[in-house]
Amino acid sequence: MSPTALPSSARICVYRGRELEEIIAGPDFVTVHDDGLDAPDAIDRGDSGKGPWVRLPTSSCDRRYRRDVTAVWDGQQVYVVGTHGSSAAITFQGDPQWARDHGLSGSQHESWGGSAPLDELTGVTVRERDLA
């Protein structure tokens, strides 16, 4: 599976026709990564360890939604939270032995996390749910 073909789970603000991943959402604002975004109604801008960001009023978003991406890896359902090169960052809630056997770290109480080869993921499901 190609990295560009697999979206990641995220909260999304559609702003001026662009889908932007939300970093933080407040009662009347969203903060998104700023890649030179033309945002005349920006409330604030700044920089963090993960790069520049811009804060927008939620009323400026054309749509806000949550995208959940799941896949099957070696017979178990995993939650895809990102991609990098030929790997997917995943979380898993299930059998601790399976998680350890697949190199995941964490616990059965707080979930397991790690990476999986993209070409081993099957049964990808993408669900979108509008946010208020």
Side-chain angles (χ1 to χ4, degrees):
M1 176 171 294
S2 132
T4 57
L6 184 65
S8 299
S9 298
R11 292 173 60 107
I12 306 292
C13 165
V14 179
Y15 177 76
R16 300 179 124 197
R18 291 184 58 193
E19 291 190 350
L20 305 166
E21 186 174 336
E22 296 181 6
I23 302 168
I24 299 170
D28 58 356
F29 71 88
V30 294
T31 302
V32 298
H33 293 286
D34 182 3
D35 59 358
L37 181 66
D38 177 23
D41 49 352
I43 299 169
D44 197 8
R45 290 179 183 270
D47 201 2
S48 71
K50 294 185 178 183
W53 53 265
V54 60
R55 184 162 295 144
L56 303 168
T58 53
S59 60
S60 294
C61 298
D62 301 320
R63 179 183 180 211
R64 292 183 61 226
Y65 66 96
R66 175 166 183 85
R67 179 176 57 218
D68 293 311
V69 181
T70 58
V72 175
W73 182 33
D74 195 21
Q76 297 292 322
Q77 182 175 344
V78 297
Y79 189 73
V80 179
V81 295
T83 58
H84 181 71
S86 61
S87 295
I90 60 159
T91 60
F92 169 71
Q93 293 182 335
D95 180 41
Q97 189 59 53
W98 185 92
R100 286 189 289 274
D101 290 348
H102 289 79
L104 305 181
S105 60
S107 76
Q108 64 196 38
H109 305 290
E110 296 176 5
S111 80
W112 302 90
S115 62
L118 282 172
D119 62 358
E120 293 182 17
L121 298 179
T122 61
V124 175
T125 302
V126 179
R127 292 190 177 99
E128 292 181 358
R129 177 178 47 96
D130 285 329
L131 300 171

